Amino acid sequence: MCLAIPGKIISIEDENGIRLGRVQFGGIMQPVSLDFVPEASLGDYVMVHVGFAIAKVNREEAERTWQALEEMGMLAGELPVDAKARSQP
Amino acid sequence: MKYLDEYRDARIVKGLLETIRRKVTRHWVLMEICGGQTHTIMRYGLDELLPPQIELVHGPGCPVCVTPASILDRAIDLAQREDITLVTYGDMLRVPGSRLDLFSAKARGADVRMVYSPLDALRIARLNPQRKVVFLAVGFETTAPANAMAVWQASRERLDNFYLLASHVLVPPAIRALVSSPENRVQGFIAPGHVCTVVGCKDYEDLVQDYNVPIVVGGFEPVDLLQAISVLVTLLEQGHPEFANEYPRSVSYRGNVEAQRILEEVFEVADQSWRGLGEIPLSGFRLREKFAAYDADKVFALNIQESDAPEVCISAEILRGLKKPTDCSAFGVACTPESPLGAPMVSSEGACSAYYQYRRHSLVTIQ
């Protein structure tokens, strides 16, 4: 429950005052609060924990981490879909 | 690409193992705090690849595992009320309370819903203004800012049907409790990478100063963990208890300042009860007075007594690094992930669950 999953910011909007990003994790999109990473912008990669981005990372790191988590079977508990159905971000 | 990466990793892993083998001259007991790290160690059998002088024990860093049964009892009590919807993270549903778990409460008709994010909990409250939505929020410093933000946001939106039932735990006080205990065996710690992503490194430097025990921040991949172990072994062999950050791609010295700011605004540090470890002074968070209207403990009359785990369960010793899951007579027999007796068998990050998933077959063969 302390894992963070890397994803790519596809869009950013304001929703109820929350800086809400649509973040792509493999084949799925999830709403993610970007309030803790004001430095992150469109196209950036962020580490996401329970729907909140907690750190910005570069693309290469994001892709490596995604592969590792997928291989270790650690995505399923963090995202609302079957991790096996998806490819890397 | 994937296979190339795996090949590169395998080479790095072999190199790190060789380096560690060359350096180690005596027995060292190291603890990884985080359950995610325990999972990686078991998944790749890192404990078996390491030289026999390195003993890895598994720490209390699985929030599900250390949430006291009394919190579950309170959540179940609330969930069974007519006008309440109880929402929580999926892992919490099967954690045993003293009589029931939330899953069985749901089967008996309670309105219990699983969420992946506090944002979902807020959404449920917005969409169901006629229901009182109680969010059972657990977690270490990684999760606490998100839970805090839910309360802050509810306050901003003036959502008057959202409440937090919180059980937050902090890593540094747990390390203090572990190393201060006369039974302590741990000589070096791998600090949890994503907790440090949020809180930064200062508290861990202080721990090194106070207790003369080396602490190295580690990530979650096999290479990350072996790198952290390699540095720990160097520090121990040289007699230099120091702090090092071996997960710098995610962890900065200051941590995530925005997340720290919301934590500070919403929560204050308070004494906290841990399953298996008992009460540890100033090791958790409670809502500040100005958010009392969102505090389920204050809004709803709850009177549940503390209760202990079943007698057979040795999770208290496991969480302190004194015993391994396989030392338990119930392991894999009376206690399985399908019918867990103790919380470490519930969460995929719990030590018992990780041993069950990756070790039970080899254990049967050995026996």
Side-chain angles (χ1 to χ4, degrees):
Chain A
M1 252 203 75
C2 271
L3 276 183
I5 308 286
K8 182 183 184 181
I9 303 172
I10 301 300
S11 68
I12 301 175
E13 58 207 62
D14 184 286
E15 194 179 299
N16 300 306
I18 301 172
R19 186 168 177 253
L20 201 70
R22 300 267 146 207
V23 173
Q24 186 181 1
F25 301 92
I28 63 155
M29 295 269 232
Q30 283 287 298
V32 167
S33 162
L34 302 175
D35 283 323
F36 299 152
V37 286
E39 72 278 18
S41 52
L42 222 56
D44 281 344
Y45 288 80
V46 282
M47 297 295 282
V48 177
H49 174 69
V50 296
F52 285 72
I54 55 170
K56 200 177 128 178
V57 288
N58 70 38
R59 179 185 173 153
E60 190 189 332
E61 285 160 1
E63 288 181 353
R64 258 190 66 73
T65 304
W66 177 271
Q67 272 185 9
L69 292 174
E70 190 173 45
E71 192 190 309
M72 290 189 274
M74 290 166 93
L75 291 170
E78 308 291 321
L79 288 169
V81 285
D82 179 4
K84 285 178 194 150
R86 284 164 294 115
S87 58
Q88 54 180 288
Chain B
M1 260 327 269
K2 195 174 172 191
Y3 296 102
L4 277 178
D5 278 351
E6 280 173 6
Y7 178 66
R8 195 187 68 185
D9 273 8
R11 249 184 12 205
I12 300 172
V13 163
K14 274 186 194 155
L16 282 166
L17 285 168
E18 187 48 40
T19 310
I20 295 168
R21 213 169 280 131
R22 272 202 311 270
K23 281 190 290 201
V24 69
T25 63
R26 47 162 290 196
H27 183 85
W28 298 109
V29 180
L30 312 180
M31 175 182 273
E32 84 281 358
I33 295 288
C34 175
Q37 295 171 331
T38 305
H39 185 102
T40 303
I41 288 165
M42 289 295 127
R43 167 81 169 74
Y44 289 92
L46 299 183
D47 54 332
E48 292 176 337
L49 292 170
L50 284 163
Q53 297 99 316
I54 309 288
E55 181 182 350
L56 295 180
V57 292
H58 318 300
C62 157
V64 174
C65 304
V66 297
T67 300
S70 59
I71 294 280
L72 268 307
D73 292 345
R74 277 184 260 174
I76 291 161
D77 174 49
L78 288 172
Q80 288 172 331
R81 299 186 194 184
E82 199 62 20
D83 55 345
I84 288 181
T85 296
L86 193 290
V87 298
T88 191
Y89 299 115
D91 274 359
M92 294 307 295
L93 295 183
R94 291 186 42 253
V95 179
S98 53
R99 287 168 300 112
L100 278 182
D101 59 26
L102 280 165
F103 201 69
S104 5
K106 184 179 168 70
R108 295 178 190 192
D111 186 2
V112 177
R113 305 188 201 178
M114 186 189 106
V115 291
Y116 283 89
S117 166
L119 296 173
D120 301 331
L122 282 174
R123 189 172 42 79
I124 291 169
R126 275 187 216 111
L127 293 175
N128 299 277
Q130 77 290 359
R131 307 280 302 164
K132 292 175 175 157
V133 175
V134 176
F135 177 34
L136 168 59
V138 301
F140 279 92
E141 294 93 324
T142 321
T143 319
N147 297 338
M149 194 56 141
V151 173
W152 191 84
Q153 180 66 21
S155 156
R156 178 159 74 175
E157 291 180 37
R158 301 188 190 286
L159 273 178
D160 59 4
N161 65 328
F162 180 85
Y163 309 91
L164 195 76
L165 178 63
S167 180
H168 288 110
V169 276
L170 306 176
V171 174
I175 293 183
R176 281 179 200 281
L178 286 168
V179 292
S180 310
S181 156
E183 301 166 306
N184 176 52
R185 301 175 59 231
V186 182
Q187 294 159 297
F189 289 92
I190 304 172
H194 291 142
V195 164
C196 294
T197 301
V198 169
V199 299
C201 300
K202 173 75 171 65
D203 289 349
Y204 293 84
E205 279 185 345
D206 292 349
L207 286 170
V208 171
Q209 289 288 321
D210 293 351
Y211 296 98
N212 274 321
V213 62
I215 301 180
V216 176
V217 183
F220 297 82
E221 295 168 37
V223 170
D224 294 328
L225 283 164
L226 288 176
Q227 178 62 30
I229 290 166
S230 177
V231 172
L232 271 177
V233 170
T234 304
L235 295 172
L236 286 165
E237 289 283 345
Q238 294 177 347
H240 293 309
E242 284 173 17
F243 170 84
N245 174 11
E246 294 299 326
Y247 192 40
R249 65 180 187 273
S250 179
V251 176
S252 66
Y253 185 79
R254 288 186 65 198
N256 186 315
V257 178
E258 293 298 324
Q260 292 166 19
R261 197 181 53 75
I262 200 81
L263 275 181
E264 176 64 27
E265 184 170 346
V266 175
F267 291 136
E268 59 193 351
V269 174
D271 297 346
Q272 171 72 30
S273 177
W274 298 52
R275 197 188 285 236
L277 303 181
E279 178 143 319
I280 302 178
L282 304 179
S283 68
F285 286 131
R286 66 168 169 239
L287 283 167
R288 288 190 183 276
E289 193 52 40
K290 68 173 171 174
F291 294 102
Y294 300 92
D295 191 336
D297 274 321
K298 291 189 174 145
V299 173
F300 304 102
L302 296 167
N303 187 19
I304 305 278
Q305 299 303 310
E306 294 291 315
S307 57
D308 295 324
E311 240 169 58
V312 60
C313 179
I314 61 163
S315 60
E317 282 111 321
I318 292 170
L319 293 168
R320 283 181 290 161
L322 302 176
K323 286 192 175 165
K324 299 272 166 63
T326 42
D327 296 329
C328 179
S329 62
F331 176 78
V333 186
C335 182
T336 64
E338 287 73 36
S339 73
L341 288 179
M345 188 57 102
V346 177
S347 165
S348 65
E349 292 172 22
C352 299
S353 162
Y355 271 71
Y356 187 85
Q357 196 174 347
Y358 299 118
R359 288 296 152 77
R360 69 182 192 281
H361 299 302
S362 59
L363 289 169
V364 169
T365 320
I366 292 164
Q367 282 157 4

